[in-house]
Amino acid sequence: MYRDLREFIDKLDEIGELKRVDGVNWKFELQCVAELFKERAGPALLFDHIQGYLPGYRVLANVVLSARRTALALGMDPDTAPMEVIKRWRKVLKDFRPVPPEYVTTAPVFENQATGESVDLLKFPAPWFYPEDGGRYLGTGDIVIMRDPEEGWVNIGVYRIQMHDHKTTGIMMNPGQQGTLIMRRYHEQGKNCPVAVSLGYTADLLYPAQQSLPWGVSEYDLAGFARGAPIDVVEAPLTGLPVPATSEIVLEGEIPPRSVEGRPEGPFAESWGYSMDRARECEVIKVQAVYHRDDPILWAYKDSKPPVTPSVRLPVRAANAWNEMEAAGVPNIKGVYGFIFNDCRLGVVSIKNSYPGHPMQTGMALQASHQGNNSIITIVVDDDVDITNLEEVMWAVASRCDPTTQVLTFRGRTSTIDPRVTPEQRARRDITRGHIIIDACKPLDFKDFPPIYRFSDEMKQEMIRKYHLLKV
Ligand SMILES: Cc1cc2nc3c(=O)[nH]c(=O)nc-3n(C[C@H](O)[C@H](O)[C@H](O)COP(=O)(O)O)c2cc1C
């Protein structure tokens, strides 16, 4: 394991998953280079000597654009097979017992401190990712920490942070997020909401922070459970909020109600690969203190349109969806996977097809699950299909599905950043769109479905040995 982001980066370097890039401009060039490497399924990137910035003020990008790096970020061996990663993460979620964070008294993040008038957010090389964006973003792979004012528990979530000026950022939290609900509680009490943001932290916090856990359950406790040891936190001096002790950069401040101070946020090149071309009035963080390590590292996290080799993306949320489907009573699920971003917009489930209606029931269960209902196209296949391989999935669709009888279309829920939601729909706050479930299983009553021809792996191994064909 690694103790902090720096050890994680060393680990990436050790396994050939890191490239250092010097000298780019934070405005567009940084992301252009990141996109270039993404399209070639390249390594994670550590940008240094960024134009106009002190050497050592670095930006880390493209971290979870590979299955190996994602496995490592989840605290697993990078060579764990993708479906095995999903299975192990699903077990972590299933077995989860809270392991609360441990308070430490000192932390390297306090090596540099600024409060009040000396706060200057512009000292960090926050990228301006795309020309279509409304500005620079300090936080994309950040975590935001808040304490519920009534019940005292601590929530963390990944919410984007736009840089407005030296002391002010935007914060974009969607309506149902727990962060939003906590913030509102402060506002209802007539108070500003205290907040801390970590802009670079130990990598095994990234996926726990993205989980929507039940109200009152802290993502820190899940991260501790997944790690098998508590997360070290330190009390932030102004707010008293627990921030990861290994943070690279921490901001502390307050969120006033939007009616007191709000600013337009965005547009932002969204994860679907489209720029939604609109700025919306959003809350701001009035930053009162900044702490950072010497030579701090800012974690940038940007999703965008394909191409990325589909099989290199690891859809971690499939683990949640699998648990939910199982809890709904769907039997004989052999795998859950997804393509097109981490949210599985194209969800795939493999089953041991056991009775008439089983594939459709499975597809509907994915659609009904909290973590799977973002799937616009859901495909259910037999368990002889490798669902981590999109080409193989499409082969099953083409060869086993009769669309006149094995397809269901309906109107389902989508997200606010879905480009297929029309402006008219948006105006009436309607975020539904057509969904499809494709049953690509061999029909159970089709008795003599042609068999697949393919030599066994054992025989291939024998050939390799016998004729000295390959080193394996
Ligand atoms: C890279 C990344 C960026 C995200 N950005 C946002 C965001 O700007 N606003 C938001 O509401 N959710 C965003 N999310 C989703 C939330 O992090 C996720 O829903 C999380 O569960 C929220 O935490 P909560 O359940 O404690 O509210 C993002 C997720 C990722 C992985």
Side-chain angles (χ1 to χ4, degrees), residues 93-145:
L93 297 173
K94 223 166 146 175
D95 296 348
F96 169 48
R97 299 281 175 282
V99 175
E102 211 162 80
Y103 280 85
V104 295
T105 46
T106 55
V109 71
F110 296 128
E111 280 163 358
N112 302 274
Q113 311 193 16
T115 53
E117 281 313 302
S118 48
V119 167
D120 181 12
L121 301 176
L122 289 169
K123 76 188 281 193
F124 303 110
W128 189 324
F129 290 100
Y130 286 95
E132 291 79 3
D133 288 351
R136 302 176 71 173
Y137 275 83
L138 256 176
T140 44
D142 57 81
I143 56 177
V144 174
I145 303 127

Side-chain angles (χ1 to χ4, degrees), residues 167-471:
K167 292 186 186 47
T168 319
T169 73
I171 178 164
M172 203 292 286
M173 297 187 289
N174 284 316
Q177 303 291 34
Q178 293 183 342
T180 309
L181 303 176
I182 290 175
M183 175 187 71
R184 285 210 188 121
R185 284 189 162 179
Y186 284 98
H187 293 170
E188 279 159 15
Q189 293 177 4
K191 297 179 187 155
N192 292 342
C193 171
V195 64
V197 183
S198 174
L199 299 169
Y201 43 85
T202 173
D204 59 338
L205 270 174
L206 178 69
Y207 282 101
Q210 291 173 37
Q211 293 288 323
S212 47
L213 296 178
W215 180 258
V217 180
S218 178
E219 289 81 0
Y220 274 137
D221 299 4
L222 172 62
F225 178 72
R227 182 191 277 196
I231 301 294
D232 283 347
V233 292
V234 64
E235 212 173 86
L238 299 182
T239 56
L241 286 164
V243 297
T246 60
S247 294
E248 293 286 329
I249 304 169
V250 166
L251 316 180
E252 260 194 302
E254 288 185 340
I255 310 175
R258 211 186 295 173
S259 54
V260 175
E261 181 169 351
R263 291 203 200 175
E265 197 274 350
F268 185 68
E270 301 284 1
S271 61
W272 284 64
Y274 296 87
S275 173
M276 299 310 285
D277 192 30
R278 70 208 156 111
R280 285 187 308 181
E281 193 73 1
C282 254
E283 283 77 13
V284 296
I285 302 179
K286 308 295 288 177
V287 179
Q288 297 160 327
V290 177
Y291 316 98
H292 69 88
R293 294 184 71 165
D294 293 337
D295 300 334
I297 305 168
L298 189 74
W299 190 332
Y301 186 136
K302 198 82 199 72
D303 241 327
S304 53
K305 76 178 266 298
V308 265
T309 315
S311 56
V312 302
R313 300 301 303 275
L314 228 162
V316 178
R317 282 191 196 190
N320 303 65
W322 191 341
N323 283 345
E324 287 186 66
M325 293 163 74
E326 201 172 74
V330 181
N332 287 338
I333 300 174
K334 299 299 174 187
V336 182
Y337 214 69
F339 298 91
I340 321 292
F341 324 121
N342 190 28
D343 309 36
C344 314
R345 307 291 173 182
L346 194 159
V348 189
V349 189
S350 66
I351 56 169
K352 179 167 171 21
N353 192 2
S354 307
Y355 46 86
H358 188 192
M360 267 305 157
Q361 178 198 14
T362 305
M364 286 174 170
L366 182 71
Q367 284 288 321
S369 71
H370 177 61
Q371 294 288 335
N373 75 8
N374 270 333
S375 177
I376 306 298
I377 298 172
T378 297
I379 303 173
V380 184
V381 295
D382 296 300
D383 59 356
D384 62 341
V385 175
D386 174 5
I387 61 169
T388 63
N389 181 328
L390 186 59
E391 196 176 359
E392 197 163 323
V393 171
M394 296 321 288
W395 164 80
V397 171
S399 60
R400 299 182 185 182
C401 169
D402 174 356
T404 61
T405 55
Q406 288 174 254
V407 158
L408 178 68
T409 61
F410 57 96
R411 259 198 115 61
R413 183 177 167 271
T414 184
S415 86
T416 48
I417 56 170
D418 184 338
R420 188 58 186 82
V421 174
T422 64
E424 293 73 27
Q425 277 180 277
R426 274 183 210 290
R428 57 175 192 270
R429 294 176 184 274
D430 167 6
I431 51 160
T432 60
R433 70 171 282 187
H435 288 227
I436 186 168
I437 299 174
I438 300 171
D439 164 7
C441 295
K442 292 179 276 190
L444 286 177
D445 56 1
F446 190 153
K447 285 294 170 231
D448 294 312
F449 204 91
I452 296 167
Y453 59 86
R454 183 179 177 273
F455 290 110
S456 68
D457 290 340
E458 292 72 31
M459 183 159 170
K460 283 175 193 150
Q461 289 300 322
E462 198 191 323
M463 294 299 108
I464 289 169
R465 270 196 308 273
K466 206 165 158 185
Y467 300 107
H468 315 288
L469 295 177
L470 295 168
K471 275 212 162 75

